Structures are given as structure tokens and as C-alpha cells.
Amino acid sequence: MLLHSFPFDSRLWASAGVTDAIIAAGRSVITADRRGSGQSGRPHDPRAYQDNACARDVTGLIDHLGLDQVDLAAYSVGSMIGLRVVQADPRVRRAVLGGEIGRASCRERV
């Protein structure tokens, strides 16, 4: 599972060649647009971004897909979200988090 950075959306991973490299290595890839970016919804109410909403979105996607385990790679804002997912969801087997991960939340509307 790949979590993108600001101001990009999930297409970043394909344009950088990351998804192709992962698939070439025989793995599956899951990308999703973070709440408020790309093709994801853009709620205008700031409360829609509180209480780790973006991390809960990731966990909800894992639930929806019925996955027992995921490996997670994320950068910048994606890493902030990924850190919260790692802390809350034991299904994350391993994670690589890059960039700034100091304020892990989804309360910034970007």
C-alpha cells in the first residue's frame, strides 16, 4: 500500500515508476487518494479531517479489501498518516516512512 505526499495524488507513484517496479518484483500495489486530494472527496467541514480521519480511511480500505496483511510505504503527509495506521492496525506487517512525520494527523485541509 502506497500513501502519497502533498500536493500530489496517488498517480505520483505510477509517474515515478514505483508501481511498475513493485509489480515487476511480483507484488501487488494498492494506491488511494488521500481525503481531500485527487479523486477522493473534498469535505469542506474541518471536522471531517479530525480524529485521524485519513488513517481511518486507510484502515477502512484494508477492511474493504479483506486483507490480512499489508506492507506500507509512504512519504511526507502520507508518512504522517502511515504512522498513525502503523500504531493502530496490526495488519501492517512492515512500513517504510519517509520525509517529515512529525505531526501525524489529517486535520490539515490541503
Side-chain angles (χ1 to χ4, degrees), residues 35-106:
R35 184 182 293 217
S37 68
Q39 294 183 28
S40 186
R42 298 178 188 279
H44 295 291
D45 185 346
R47 291 175 294 184
Y49 297 86
Q50 295 176 345
D51 301 321
N52 300 315
C54 291
R56 287 186 285 112
D57 290 344
V58 172
T59 299
L61 179 57
I62 295 169
D63 291 342
H64 175 75
L65 296 173
L67 302 173
D68 295 325
Q69 287 186 329
V70 296
D71 296 332
L72 185 139
Y75 189 74
S76 191
V77 171
S79 289
M80 294 183 220
I81 296 163
L83 179 59
R84 293 294 173 117
V85 174
V86 167
Q87 292 171 329
D89 197 324
R91 294 173 294 181
V92 177
R93 182 174 59 165
R94 51 180 98 117
V96 177
L97 307 174
E100 180 188 336
I101 58 172
R103 290 183 311 164
S105 74
C106 183

Side-chain angles (χ1 to χ4, degrees), residues 4-25:
H4 63 85
S5 61
F6 175 80
F8 304 100
D9 59 34
S10 62
R11 296 174 296 173
L12 167 73
W13 299 108
S15 66
V18 175
T19 54
D20 287 341
I22 293 171
I23 291 167

